[in-house]
Amino acid sequence: MLDLDRLRALHAVATHGSVSAAAEALHVTTSAVSQQLAKLERETAHKLLERNGRGVKLTDAAKLLVMHADRILSLVERAEADLEAHRGVVVGELSVGAFPTAIRGLIPAALRDLRARHPDLRVLVTEHDPFVSAPLVARGDLDLAIVQDWNNEPLSVPEGLVKGMICEDLADVAVPSGHPLAGRDEIDLKELAGDCWISSPPGTICCDWLTHTLRTFDSEPRLHHTAYEISSQLALVAAGLGDCILPRLGRDPLPEGVAVIRLRQPLSRRIYAVWREEAARRPAICAALDALRASARSVLSDEE
């Protein structure tokens, strides 16, 4: 009979591309993974890995086994989720990835609620852009990701993931207080299309969205400065170095030198959670989603 831990080790090598990366993902040593693979080779009487330069590659037999392992591990995860649901107790560990403003604006209240209601649940949070966190959930490195997309550019999520809406978050635009339009109550975004802009770095969801949106106004974006944190972007705006898009969730007090203007055609980002279909019945997933939605209702009602 095939050993589940050995299949999991082979699957991790296939997913992460190397023995060392598999060991890191499984939280074990490289030698432990190598030992599991050696035992699996003896168990199946097939060579599973071949040298490929400094790394390794899977043999045809290994690829066949990984295909079955993918289905087997998926069934095991579904069985574990069903057992947790049958018990009806929120326990264990839940790894969560989230983008910066979700960590600042949603996570603290949600974790406080979860800790009070479910003291036996351990939640581990890491910061990731949605382009990164959704694939991490798909391959099993995270249990849950809080991601976002914009109303004019949906985010494509990997196959096998389930989405749950958390909230919708409106965005305004922040400009230097000396900007010619700073005194306006509302504007069209295209009025700023030729300005210098401050955004998160290229390759992140917000930067890619801003670039795409400004190009719809026949304007090549002038992204002169990049920073991950909204507070850093606002400091650059206050220095007169450009404009930035300013979501309302997790918004800090504005520094002097910044004017915020509403957009006539509202821009909003949708914030939702994603998790693997096999884990859908886990009580921990359901409890986390409830806590995140309650946090969003509280935070966004204060913003209104």
Side-chain angles (χ1 to χ4, degrees), residues 9-301:
L10 178 63
H11 188 268
V13 172
T15 300
H16 299 281
S18 70
V19 173
S20 58
E24 185 177 351
L26 295 172
H27 306 292
V28 298
T29 64
T30 301
S31 62
V33 173
S34 297
Q35 290 172 23
Q36 292 281 34
L37 295 175
K39 290 176 182 177
L40 187 58
E41 286 187 331
R42 292 196 296 271
E43 191 174 62
T44 60
H46 281 88
K47 188 173 181 60
L48 300 175
L49 297 181
E50 295 176 340
R51 288 288 177 189
N52 183 31
R54 291 187 175 183
V56 295
K57 66 177 183 178
L58 273 63
T59 64
D60 289 342
K63 292 176 183 176
L64 179 64
L65 200 52
V66 166
M67 186 172 62
H68 289 291
D70 192 53
R71 292 197 292 268
I72 291 168
L73 295 174
S74 178
L75 286 171
V76 169
E77 184 175 12
R78 190 183 297 271
E80 291 172 342
D82 285 347
L83 284 173
E84 282 190 35
H86 181 70
R87 290 176 60 198
V89 180
V90 180
V91 296
E93 186 172 285
L94 189 72
S95 56
V96 179
F99 57 93
T101 50
I103 289 181
R104 185 168 63 248
L106 290 178
I107 289 288
L111 293 195
R112 186 170 59 244
D113 181 35
L114 286 170
R115 185 171 58 185
R117 293 173 180 269
H118 310 290
D120 294 325
L121 176 66
R122 182 172 179 241
V123 182
L124 306 175
V125 177
T126 53
E127 184 176 302
H128 292 291
D129 188 78
F131 283 157
V132 175
S133 60
L136 287 176
V137 174
R139 73 185 198 185
D141 292 343
L142 291 173
D143 296 314
L144 185 76
I146 304 171
V147 300
Q148 62 168 349
D149 63 14
W150 292 86
N151 58 348
N152 62 339
E153 191 172 4
L155 173 70
S156 175
V157 297
E159 186 178 353
L161 297 188
V162 179
K163 293 199 304 186
M165 187 71 175
I166 296 174
C167 64
E168 191 165 356
D169 181 28
L170 287 174
D172 304 305
V173 64
V175 301
S177 56
H179 193 284
L181 301 180
R184 296 263 296 272
D185 290 330
E186 62 178 23
I187 59 173
D188 291 314
L189 186 60
K190 64 182 179 182
E191 295 181 71
L192 302 172
D195 283 10
C196 296
W197 285 89
I198 300 157
S199 180
S200 55
T204 58
I205 193 167
C206 288
C207 182
D208 286 5
W209 165 81
L210 180 61
T211 301
H212 164 78
T213 300
L214 292 178
R215 282 175 178 164
T216 64
F217 304 134
D218 296 323
S219 174
E220 187 60 28
R222 299 168 62 198
L223 296 176
H224 283 196
H225 306 284
T226 63
Y228 280 105
E229 275 291 345
I230 294 291
S231 56
S232 299
Q233 294 179 26
L234 286 174
L236 294 169
V237 174
L241 300 174
D243 312 332
C244 78
I245 297 296
L246 186 59
R248 296 182 184 180
L249 176 68
R251 183 182 295 184
D252 290 326
L254 296 175
E256 290 186 16
V258 173
V260 176
I261 314 172
R262 291 193 308 272
L263 292 167
R264 187 172 289 113
Q265 295 182 321
L267 284 173
S268 63
R269 57 180 184 171
R270 295 165 296 191
I271 300 172
Y272 47 92
V274 297
W275 59 91
R276 290 182 299 284
E277 188 176 355
E278 295 83 359
R281 294 194 64 203
R282 281 189 66 188
I285 297 283
C286 299
L289 194 57
D290 287 344
L292 288 165
R293 286 169 172 163
S295 176
R297 285 193 297 271
S298 174
V299 170
L300 293 177
S301 66

